[in-house]
Amino acid sequence: MGFLDALFGRTKPVRPDLDQLFGVPSAALTLEAAAGFLPTGLGSVCFAAVEGGAFGEVERQVRALLDADTERGGVPVEASKDAYGYSWLLAWHTPQELPELVNDLHAVNSELEANGFGPQLLCSLVAFRNAEGQSLALVYLYKRGTFYPFAPMPGGGERRNSPLELQVNAMLGNDLRLEKDLGRWFPVWGAPGL
């Protein structure tokens, strides 16, 4: 960063580091030990789909990659669109297969990025739940290369458990690169898998 950038408050954007996703299994151990949250086996990737044959072909490749184990009993990936028009791919594994789930999420992100669609990637999330039924997601912001916790209140509605989010954020400081700007802790209401 140059002198004028510092003077005018400009910063260089953080480069995505998809390998940060591989920190989630370690964070899961911390979440279980410190707060009783266990992985659900569900994770999803959100992206802004674009029209055109090239993007459609990449999306088909990604789905074929994730569906490769369906003949051996794996669950096929689920595609959906949310109320804002964003596309989601939901991957399913058993709760004990968290590393495999993270590999799938990494593969989706990597495939889209490698084919020039990195700017369309928004976030990835891995879902957790505790014995009381509280849901929690670790959300990876692709464009920031950081994570943040998202905890919708049980019982529906669009209310967040902000104290829990702050508590989880404090717990995971040694496990994940966390988003410091709380204004970027966007709610992902109705995200598949959560």
Side-chain angles (χ1 to χ4, degrees), residues 31-45:
L31 280 174
E32 182 179 0
F37 279 93
L38 297 171
T40 64
L42 301 174
S44 52
V45 177

Side-chain angles (χ1 to χ4, degrees), residues 16-99:
D17 180 6
L18 291 175
D19 289 346
Q20 291 295 315
L21 288 167
F22 294 122
V24 171
S26 171
L29 295 174
T30 301
L31 280 174
E32 182 179 0
F37 279 93
L38 297 171
T40 64
L42 301 174
S44 52
V45 177
C46 180
F47 54 94
V50 294
E51 298 296 323
F55 187 81
E57 181 57 31
V58 170
E59 191 173 11
R60 280 189 290 284
Q61 290 172 3
V62 166
R63 291 188 70 175
L65 175 70
L66 295 182
D67 287 344
D69 68 343
T70 55
E71 293 176 4
R72 296 186 311 272
V75 179
V77 67
E78 231 176 76
S80 63
K81 283 197 185 274
D82 65 19
Y84 301 102
Y86 294 112
S87 296
W88 290 84
L89 288 178
L90 174 65
W92 300 68
H93 284 274
T94 67
Q96 297 76 27
E97 296 176 325
L98 183 59

Side-chain angles (χ1 to χ4, degrees), residues 12-189:
K12 291 183 180 179
V14 177
R15 295 208 37 143
D17 180 6
L18 291 175
D19 289 346
Q20 291 295 315
L21 288 167
F22 294 122
V24 171
S26 171
L29 295 174
T30 301
L31 280 174
E32 182 179 0
F37 279 93
L38 297 171
T40 64
L42 301 174
S44 52
V45 177
C46 180
F47 54 94
V50 294
E51 298 296 323
F55 187 81
E57 181 57 31
V58 170
E59 191 173 11
R60 280 189 290 284
Q61 290 172 3
V62 166
R63 291 188 70 175
L65 175 70
L66 295 182
D67 287 344
D69 68 343
T70 55
E71 293 176 4
R72 296 186 311 272
V75 179
V77 67
E78 231 176 76
S80 63
K81 283 197 185 274
D82 65 19
Y84 301 102
Y86 294 112
S87 296
W88 290 84
L89 288 178
L90 174 65
W92 300 68
H93 284 274
T94 67
Q96 297 76 27
E97 296 176 325
L98 183 59
E100 290 85 349
L101 175 64
V102 169
N103 285 340
D104 283 355
L105 298 178
H106 187 277
V108 171
N109 281 282
S110 296
E111 190 69 24
L112 288 169
E113 184 181 64
N115 284 282
F117 296 106
Q120 276 66 43
L121 285 165
L122 300 174
C123 68
S124 298
L125 65 86
V126 178
F128 296 83
R129 191 174 314 274
N130 68 10
E132 290 79 40
Q134 171 68 59
S135 294
L136 172 72
L138 294 180
V139 181
Y140 176 74
L141 291 171
Y142 175 80
K143 290 174 177 61
R144 303 276 297 172
T146 56
F147 286 88
Y148 67 90
F150 174 66
M153 292 294 279
E158 292 187 352
R159 295 179 309 133
R160 296 172 83 157
N161 188 339
S162 297
L164 176 61
E165 292 176 0
L166 293 171
Q167 178 187 5
V168 167
N169 188 58
M171 282 179 216
L172 299 180
N174 293 329
D175 296 301
L176 300 172
R177 184 187 302 160
L178 298 169
E179 178 57 52
K180 291 178 175 61
D181 182 355
L182 300 184
R184 293 188 182 272
W185 289 20
F186 304 112
V188 285
W189 306 118

